Amino acid sequence: SITTKIERLLKKEGVELYFVIPPVYEDDRKSEVDLIFDKAIEGVDKNIVIFDHRYLRNEIKIFLDYDHLNSKYLKIVLKDANIN
């Protein structure tokens, strides 16, 4: 898969790789996009790190506005990646 190829290339170069699926401010429902992401994630190699934050879609405090996340969300990503 393309994710595996990216992971191998970056590993060879000594670069850590994180895939982040950010939340989208919307109703709590299974959308077509969610189904596509679910299927894509199923096939990803288990040694590839994926932060799937779709479940945070109703956390209004991490959104600057309807379309944009704010610095509070960045802190969540950095914490998940153990980057301080």
Side-chain angles (χ1 to χ4, degrees):
S1 74
I2 188 71
T3 54
T4 302
K5 289 177 183 177
I6 292 169
E7 190 264 343
R8 285 183 189 148
L9 173 67
L10 294 178
K11 191 176 211 174
K12 190 170 96 174
E13 296 297 324
V15 176
E16 290 184 55
L17 172 66
Y18 303 99
F19 284 100
V20 178
I21 304 171
V24 175
Y25 190 65
E26 64 181 358
D27 293 334
D28 193 10
R29 61 183 172 78
K30 275 289 192 187
S31 68
E32 181 102 11
V33 173
D34 282 325
L35 298 173
I36 292 168
F37 271 113
D38 289 345
K39 188 172 182 178
I41 290 171
E42 280 177 17
V44 172
D45 205 323
K46 297 300 178 206
N47 61 335
I48 295 176
V49 179
I50 298 175
F51 299 128
D52 184 358
H53 292 144
R54 292 177 288 168
Y55 68 93
L56 295 171
R57 66 180 49 144
N58 292 320
E59 296 291 325
I60 196 160
K61 67 181 184 238
I62 64 171
F63 288 91
L64 182 62
D65 57 33
Y66 182 77
D67 291 327
H68 301 93
L69 294 157
N70 63 28
S71 61
K72 290 178 183 160
Y73 176 67
L74 176 60
K75 290 178 184 176
I76 292 170
V77 173
L78 295 174
K79 181 181 174 204
D80 284 354
N82 291 320
I83 300 170
N84 297 321

